[in-house]
Amino acid sequence: MLDSVRPKRWLRVGLLMAVGNLAVFKYFDFFRESAQAALHALGIAAILPAVDFLMPVGISFYTFQSVSYLVSLYRGELRFARARELGLFLAFFPTLLAGPICRATGLLEQLRSGERRHILQLDRALGLIVLALAKKLWLAGWLASAWVDPVFSAPETYHVLEVWAAFYAYAFQIYLDFSGYTDLVTALALLLGIQLPRNFDAPYLAHNLRDFWRCWHMSLSSWIRDYIYIPLGGNRLGFARAQLNLLLAMVLSGLWHGASLKYLAWGGMHGLGVVGLNLGDKLLGKEALSRRLTWLARLLTFHYVCLAWVFFRAPSLEDAWSFLEAMAGTDQELTLNAPGFLALSVAAFAAQPYLGTACERGIAQLGRLPWWGKPSLLAGCALLIIVVSPPGIPGFIYYQF
């Protein structure tokens, strides 16, 4: 039977096809331009051919899900999927554009279940939709229009306090933007009778970078661990090799986000940060700082993550350095209420341990309302959010990946 035959060569062929497809569409121009620059530096006047590709929608996410299917098949964790089952797994519309990245052993097994499908946790799904609107349309939209977009476009024209405000604003924007999207697709999946994996768990409360990556974009970080870090050898080949594997995995994570040097810098910063943390654990004892001064550890971790976000958000490496230089001081007049926003940021950071619990309790209260009260309350909340949100249709940060 085919199900019992799992030759490694077919796994390699499948992985080569899946990853090769992603490499051609997403990274051809990056490697062509890099090779072109290297040739010019060597004095070789060759011109490499350029190809204009139309990027397939969601290629990064269904490539990762394809890899999980092939590896699970090779390991004997599931049986071969029929074409329509596999197609539905790879093109499941709520997660197609920006995840969460679903494992074949999770989503595919739910999709092929022969049981009659029904709505799951209706009250939770409706509450998550309203929460997603508040995060994405209102809060993330306001942060983008009022602080992030204008200041990042020309940081040298703003007062130093305004630049620092944008520094924090982007950290909150990208979290609200992405977690709001995750809340929305989780709700849509529940309405279709599907449970999706959790993707965020209060990441800015992390007390070190390891903890941050256990709580941020959890489906991606676990995928990198299982399909890149562990196959490279993980920590099985000694401490030094484990650090090299970690650094390589994080750099590849940065490259996955985009074919640009700024994303390589972002991934490299996180990789070096985790390696430095591991070295500190080895010299001083495991999590020596966070065990003694938890809030200081959280503040240091948050600021390191924010610093890396500058390279993630800036249009280029040069723009990232310009932003950091502006953080050191500018001679511009203060035109925005930066002190008020900085005070709000401090309050929001301090309130994090309670906000998640408050949202969960609010969603749970929906179940106690009469049937006629739920649509009235939810419609009223949605209308209020739309009224107070910035005009226009906001973009979504992770659609570009």
Side-chain angles (χ1 to χ4, degrees), residues 121-276:
Q121 305 176 42
L122 177 60
D123 293 335
R124 178 171 179 77
L126 296 176
L128 285 175
I129 290 174
V130 173
L131 183 60
L133 292 175
K135 287 181 176 180
K136 181 70 190 76
L137 287 183
W138 175 30
L139 296 173
W142 170 69
L143 288 169
S145 62
W147 292 99
V148 177
D149 293 346
V151 177
F152 268 88
S153 64
E156 68 280 357
T157 64
Y158 287 88
H159 190 274
V160 61
L161 290 181
E162 294 167 337
V163 180
W164 274 92
F167 175 76
Y168 295 118
Y170 183 67
F172 290 120
Q173 181 206 350
I174 193 171
Y175 169 71
L176 292 166
D177 189 89
F178 197 11
S179 67
Y181 169 88
T182 301
D183 291 338
L184 179 61
V185 300
T186 299
L188 294 177
L190 289 173
L191 295 176
L192 295 173
I194 296 294
Q195 292 270 9
L196 294 182
R198 192 176 185 183
N199 215 24
F200 291 92
D201 185 15
Y204 291 151
L205 289 177
H207 52 265
N208 59 48
L209 286 180
R210 283 194 306 264
D211 192 31
F212 173 79
W213 279 103
R214 284 193 290 264
C215 302
W216 174 275
H217 203 346
M218 297 154 69
S219 61
L220 173 64
S221 56
S222 63
W223 193 97
I224 291 171
R225 178 197 65 205
D226 294 343
Y227 298 107
I228 296 180
Y229 173 68
I230 292 177
L232 285 172
N235 59 2
R236 302 187 302 273
L237 303 176
F239 180 81
R241 176 60 184 273
Q243 307 319 300
L244 179 61
N245 292 340
L246 272 172
L247 182 58
L248 181 58
M250 292 309 302
V251 168
L252 289 175
S253 170
L255 186 61
W256 172 79
H257 282 85
S260 170
L261 292 176
K262 67 169 190 167
Y263 292 118
L264 288 177
W266 173 80
M269 286 184 67
H270 276 277
L272 291 172
V274 175
V275 169

Side-chain angles (χ1 to χ4, degrees), residues 261-299:
L261 292 176
K262 67 169 190 167
Y263 292 118
L264 288 177
W266 173 80
M269 286 184 67
H270 276 277
L272 291 172
V274 175
V275 169
L277 177 66
N278 291 339
L279 289 171
D281 286 351
K282 197 172 184 65
L283 295 173
L284 305 175
K286 191 170 180 62
E287 300 185 359
L289 177 62
S290 60
R291 284 189 285 108
R292 295 175 175 84
L293 300 168
T294 302
W295 272 102
L296 178 59
R298 285 176 175 171
L299 282 171

Side-chain angles (χ1 to χ4, degrees), residues 285-366:
K286 191 170 180 62
E287 300 185 359
L289 177 62
S290 60
R291 284 189 285 108
R292 295 175 175 84
L293 300 168
T294 302
W295 272 102
L296 178 59
R298 285 176 175 171
L299 282 171
L300 291 175
T301 301
F302 175 68
H303 281 84
Y304 189 89
V305 170
C306 289
L307 180 63
W309 281 140
V310 172
F311 292 86
F312 193 91
R313 171 58 178 81
S316 66
L317 279 178
E318 293 76 13
D319 292 310
W321 287 119
S322 297
F323 187 92
L324 295 177
E325 289 175 358
M327 288 179 66
T330 63
D331 297 328
Q332 305 299 324
E333 292 185 2
L334 189 65
T335 58
L336 303 174
N337 186 16
F341 180 81
L342 291 171
L344 180 63
S345 299
V346 172
F349 184 82
Q352 284 183 99
Y354 315 103
L355 292 176
T357 302
C359 290
E360 290 296 330
R361 287 179 177 175
I363 291 173
Q365 292 301 316
L366 284 176

Side-chain angles (χ1 to χ4, degrees), residues 39-59:
L39 290 175
H40 286 173
L42 294 173
I44 301 175
I47 300 178
L48 300 178
V51 181
D52 188 14
F53 288 116
L54 182 63
M55 183 81 72
V57 174
I59 185 172

